[in-house]
């Protein structure tokens, strides 16, 4: 039997935008892994009437409902009470659960449990109770009128732990199928031309399916299959992934790879090479993205943020003749910056970025969005010219860093350096 699910996140702080609803993302991924289709996400404030309305809508269109939040001890934590009322179920007090909460306070908080935590030991009649090993709010699951309801705490770490240890095993028993997806990551071809190239295939696919998701200068193609086992789903997906990768060629930078920088880091490790960087308009974004990766110290030697022209000359060794004749934003300067970064760090390869991020043109009249990316290697120095146009400053910086990583990964993988 195929199940459809709705996730209801409870919390006024979510509606106000004070925190992001990361729980919904993790729950959707988890449900897909056990073959349950998520069709709806709902966010409701700490208001019993609106939550009751949301539950009433959800039970009429989904047979699996997951809630997060509203299981705490304060006056506005009313998820259990509201959900039980919607299904006509009484709440039953479990003294052994209360003793567990009391023990948690003594051991982890070193305080006597306040009496307002008592409602956390009340659960729908007949519910399966999920212990909370990292907090005070247990969760639960029950079935009523053909609908399975799972209630989990709101704090992400508590929700994640309970989902892994208790909710997923419960949900896994509901479905006889699994959903498996693979992300084909691409750079350099926009969503519209890619959709046009693949439209005929995508419109005739049901299981497996193929869908596009756009990011700055990137398109993620997600291939998804549903089957009785993960092995069967993988067998269905393999020819789809192979066909798409062959069709798109070197536009694909990896399958199930987190980012361009992660692909570059893996290629550097495979080739036993190290990287350095010299950045101007990106302000250290390349260095930040590289060092955010686990194991970065194996492949990344360091970088220079040479924002002023004097820094380009005095630290990176860009000649005054180049700077005077061509300016800081030029192919010649980008090449010299990359050469300087490689020379002073001893790295095997180096990337550089210099450009105009805006909001105004530079002193030589170079327009906003003009960027030059250099790459210095044992085989020579290369440069890519990009014109991103009148975009926001942060978008230009992100695009410039993405193109630097793309130029690097093309060199490391043996692909043509031109896009």
């Amino acid at each position: 039997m195929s199940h459809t699910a709705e996730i209801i996140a409870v919390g006024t702080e979510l509606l106000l935008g004070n925190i992001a609803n990361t729980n919904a993302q993790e729950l959707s991924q988890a449900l897909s892994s056990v073959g349950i289709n998520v069709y709806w996400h709902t966010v409701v404030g700490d208001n019993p009437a609106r939550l009751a309305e949301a539950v009433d809508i959800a039970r009429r269109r989904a047979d699996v409902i997951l809630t997060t939040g509203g299981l705490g001890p304060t006056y506005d934590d009313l998820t259990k009470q509201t959900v039980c009322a919607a299904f006509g179920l009484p709440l039953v007090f479990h003294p052994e659960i209360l003793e567990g909460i009391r023990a948690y306070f003594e051991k982890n908080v070193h305080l006597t449990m306040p009496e307002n935590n008592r409602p956390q030991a009340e659960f729908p009649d007949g519910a399966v109770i999920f212990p909370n090993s990292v907090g005070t709010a247990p969760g639960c699951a029950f079935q009523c009128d053909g609908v399975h309801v799972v209630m989990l705490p709101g704090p992400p770490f508590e929700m994640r732990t309970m989902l892994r240890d208790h909710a997923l095993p419960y949900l896994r028993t509901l479905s006889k199928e699994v959903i498996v997806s693979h992300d084909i990551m691409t750079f350099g071809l926009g969503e519209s031309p890619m959709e046009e190239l693949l439209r005929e295939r995508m419109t005739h696919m049901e299981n497996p399916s193929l869908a596009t998701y756009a990011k700055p200068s990137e398109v993620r193609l997600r291939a998804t299959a549903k089957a009785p086992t993960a092995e069967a789903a993988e067998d269905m997906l393999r020819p789809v992934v192979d066909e798409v990768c062959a069709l798109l060629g070197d536009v694909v930078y990896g399958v199930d790879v987190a980012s361009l920088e992660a692909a570059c880091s893996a290629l550097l490790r495979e080739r036993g090479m190290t990287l350095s960087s010299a950045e101007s308009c990106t302000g250290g974004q390349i260095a930040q993205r590289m060092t955010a990766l686990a194991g970065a110290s194996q492949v990344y030697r360091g970088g220079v943020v040479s924002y002023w022209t004097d820094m380009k000359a005095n630290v990176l060794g860009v000649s005054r003749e180049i700077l005077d004749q061509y300016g800081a934003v030029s192919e010649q300067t980008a090449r010299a910056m990359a050469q300087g970064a490689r020379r002073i760090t001893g790295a095997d390869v180096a990337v550089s970025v210099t450009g105009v991020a805006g909001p105004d043109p530079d002193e030589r009249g170079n327009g906003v969005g003009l960027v030059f990316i250099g790459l210095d290697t044992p085989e020579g120095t290369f440069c890519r010219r990009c014109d991103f146009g009148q975009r926001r400053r942060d978008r230009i910086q992100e695009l410039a860093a993405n193109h630097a990583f793309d130029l690097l990964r093309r060199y490391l993988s043996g692909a043509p350096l031109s896009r």
Side-chain angles (χ1 to χ4, degrees):
M1 176 183 175
S2 181
H3 291 276
T4 60
E6 179 160 354
I7 298 168
I8 302 176
V10 183
T12 302
E13 67 277 11
L14 297 171
L15 290 176
L16 294 176
N18 294 335
I19 62 172
N21 188 13
T22 58
N23 284 347
Q25 179 184 18
E26 294 192 37
L27 285 170
S28 289
Q29 293 169 346
L31 286 164
S32 291
S33 73
V34 295
I36 297 175
N37 301 303
V38 179
Y39 285 177
W40 301 277
H41 282 192
T42 299
V43 180
V44 186
D46 298 304
N47 181 285
R50 287 193 287 271
L51 176 55
E53 182 181 4
V55 171
D56 186 55
I57 293 170
R59 66 184 297 189
R60 285 187 272 118
R61 63 187 184 185
D63 59 1
V64 178
I65 301 173
L66 288 92
T67 71
T68 63
L71 301 183
T74 60
Y75 72 95
D76 56 353
D77 289 314
L78 299 172
T79 297
K80 278 187 295 187
Q81 296 88 323
T82 305
V83 171
C84 283
F87 281 90
L89 294 175
L91 280 166
V92 178
F93 175 65
H94 291 255
E96 74 283 4
I97 300 297
L98 185 64
E99 289 308 309
I101 297 172
R102 198 184 309 276
Y104 181 91
F105 266 90
E106 293 175 357
K107 180 179 178 181
N108 298 284
V109 187
H110 307 297
L111 292 173
T112 300
M113 185 199 76
E115 284 306 308
N116 63 348
N117 285 84
R118 190 180 188 280
Q120 290 183 300
E122 297 177 348
F123 298 91
D125 189 21
V128 177
I129 299 173
F130 300 154
N132 188 339
S133 60
V134 293
T136 66
C140 65
F142 67 88
Q143 182 181 13
C144 185
D145 299 331
V147 179
H148 291 270
V149 179
V150 176
M151 289 184 273
L152 302 173
F157 182 64
E158 295 183 34
M159 189 285 300
R160 189 178 306 120
T161 303
M162 190 176 296
L163 173 67
R164 181 195 65 215
D165 295 344
H166 302 287
L168 263 182
Y170 175 89
L171 292 166
R172 196 171 284 118
T173 65
L174 306 185
S175 177
K176 301 299 183 183
E177 296 179 302
V178 297
I179 299 174
V180 177
S181 296
H182 289 302
D183 289 335
I184 304 166
M185 306 301 294
T186 73
F187 183 91
L189 188 64
E191 185 179 25
S192 294
M194 185 170 293
E195 194 273 341
E196 185 175 4
L197 184 65
L198 297 170
R199 180 184 300 148
E200 185 67 21
R201 288 170 175 81
M202 291 193 296
T203 54
H204 289 89
M205 295 175 67
E206 292 185 2
N207 187 27
S209 63
L210 193 64
T212 60
Y213 303 88
K215 297 172 65 178
S217 295
E218 295 188 48
V219 176
R220 179 183 66 186
L221 285 156
R222 172 161 287 182
T224 303
K226 178 182 279 192
T229 66
E231 292 77 12
E234 292 286 3
D235 289 340
M236 296 166 65
L237 287 172
R238 194 171 299 112
V240 174
V241 173
D242 290 346
E243 180 187 5
V244 172
C245 288
L247 180 66
L248 297 178
D250 57 35
V251 171
V252 176
Y253 70 78
V255 177
D256 297 328
V257 178
S259 61
L260 273 164
E261 58 267 29
C264 289
S265 181
L267 287 167
L268 286 165
R269 283 195 299 273
E270 288 175 14
R271 297 191 56 175
M273 300 178 74
T274 56
L275 168 71
S276 63
S277 59
E279 302 181 64
S280 184
C281 66
T282 46
Q285 187 173 138
I286 293 172
Q288 188 277 324
R289 286 167 62 172
M290 281 300 299
T291 56
L293 299 171
S297 59
Q298 300 174 32
V299 297
Y300 184 68
R301 282 183 175 266
V304 176
V305 179
S306 55
Y307 216 63
W308 278 28
T309 300
D310 284 351
M311 287 285 291
K312 294 177 176 66
N314 299 336
V315 177
L316 293 171
V318 181
S319 72
R320 290 290 179 179
E321 290 77 13
I322 287 178
L323 292 167
D324 291 342
Q325 182 175 354
Y326 301 104
V329 180
S330 64
E331 176 177 338
Q332 293 79 4
T333 296
R335 288 173 176 268
M337 287 171 63
Q339 292 164 356
R342 183 167 171 241
R343 182 181 62 254
I344 65 176
T345 63
D348 297 300
V349 292
V351 292
S352 67
V353 180
T354 181
V356 185
D360 302 310
D362 71 0
E363 66 278 1
R364 288 181 175 246
N366 291 312
V368 174
L370 178 64
V371 174
F372 292 92
I373 298 161
L375 173 68
D376 191 49
T377 77
E379 290 78 31
T381 308
F382 309 92
C383 188
R384 177 183 291 182
R385 182 187 190 275
C386 301
D387 192 344
F388 302 127
Q390 292 284 338
R391 299 174 186 261
R392 295 196 321 264
R393 182 180 180 86
D394 60 329
R395 283 295 303 277
I396 291 171
Q397 292 173 319
E398 182 180 9
L399 287 166
N402 283 348
H403 276 266
F405 285 120
D406 180 62
L407 187 62
L408 173 63
R409 70 96 186 173
R410 283 178 171 274
Y411 166 76
L412 293 170
S413 63
L417 297 184
S418 59
R419 288 168 289 151

